[in-house]
Amino acid sequence: MTDDPLRVIIRACVTDIPGNKFARSTRLAQDFSEQVRKRPFNNNLKAECHDSEHILPRFDSDDAVRAWFIIDFNVTSSLSKEEILALPHEVYLATRQGDSWIFTLRKEWVDKARRYCSMYKWGANYLQS
């Protein structure tokens, strides 16, 4: 794994994410980072380089709905929308089998997801202006 900036977009059933429903974004980011990126999720915003998860609609639903999750890895500064579009993006479908995640890379979803998710600021939880 590199220290280069990376935006990861994950589609998951919200009730598959263990723990408190209000902590689902962080829990999924932690699980993905440890399992796929092979490192801890660093959401210490005071760190020079950190990771950030975005809080998107439906993440806290009590129903078994699918939602999108965005995780920005290796955030060191803010980026323009054009710079975000130029970043590497990976899109995964997340499914649970027992206590384990299966993260399936969906390369065919990348272009559409990249365009849509560029409205979200790099490393932040609000929309691009």
Side-chain angles (χ1 to χ4, degrees):
M1 294 294 127
T2 70
D3 291 334
D4 294 333
L6 172 69
R7 176 163 276 181
V8 172
I9 304 150
I10 301 173
R11 181 83 164 160
C13 179
V14 298
T15 54
D16 283 351
I17 304 169
N20 182 316
K21 71 179 184 175
F22 299 111
R24 286 176 177 158
S25 293
T26 302
R27 174 63 191 264
L28 185 62
Q30 291 169 337
D31 291 351
F32 178 85
S33 188
E34 290 172 9
Q35 185 174 329
V36 178
R37 306 283 299 158
K38 307 291 188 218
R39 67 163 180 81
F41 181 70
N42 177 15
N43 60 350
N44 176 0
L45 299 180
K46 294 181 180 181
E48 186 175 317
C49 180
H50 65 275
D51 307 322
S52 180
E53 82 274 8
H54 295 255
I55 308 299
L56 301 181
R58 300 172 61 172
F59 83 99
D60 60 349
S61 176
D62 291 323
D63 300 321
V65 297
R66 296 202 175 276
W68 292 101
F69 296 84
I70 300 174
I71 309 164
D72 293 335
F73 287 98
N74 304 314
V75 176
T76 58
S77 64
S78 60
L79 298 175
S80 69
K81 183 175 181 175
E82 292 73 26
E83 290 170 317
I84 294 169
L85 285 166
L87 288 177
H89 284 58
E90 294 177 358
V91 183
Y92 292 84
L93 176 63
T95 53
R96 287 290 274 190
Q97 286 195 345
D99 291 338
S100 300
W101 283 110
I102 298 172
F103 292 102
T104 306
L105 185 62
R106 297 292 191 189
K107 291 181 181 180
E108 65 274 14
W109 294 355
V110 169
D111 289 337
K112 187 174 181 180
R114 178 189 310 246
R115 284 190 304 275
Y116 178 78
C117 292
S118 70
M119 78 171 78
Y120 294 96
K121 282 195 174 185
W122 174 246
N125 292 326
Y126 45 90
L127 299 176
Q128 288 276 65
S129 44

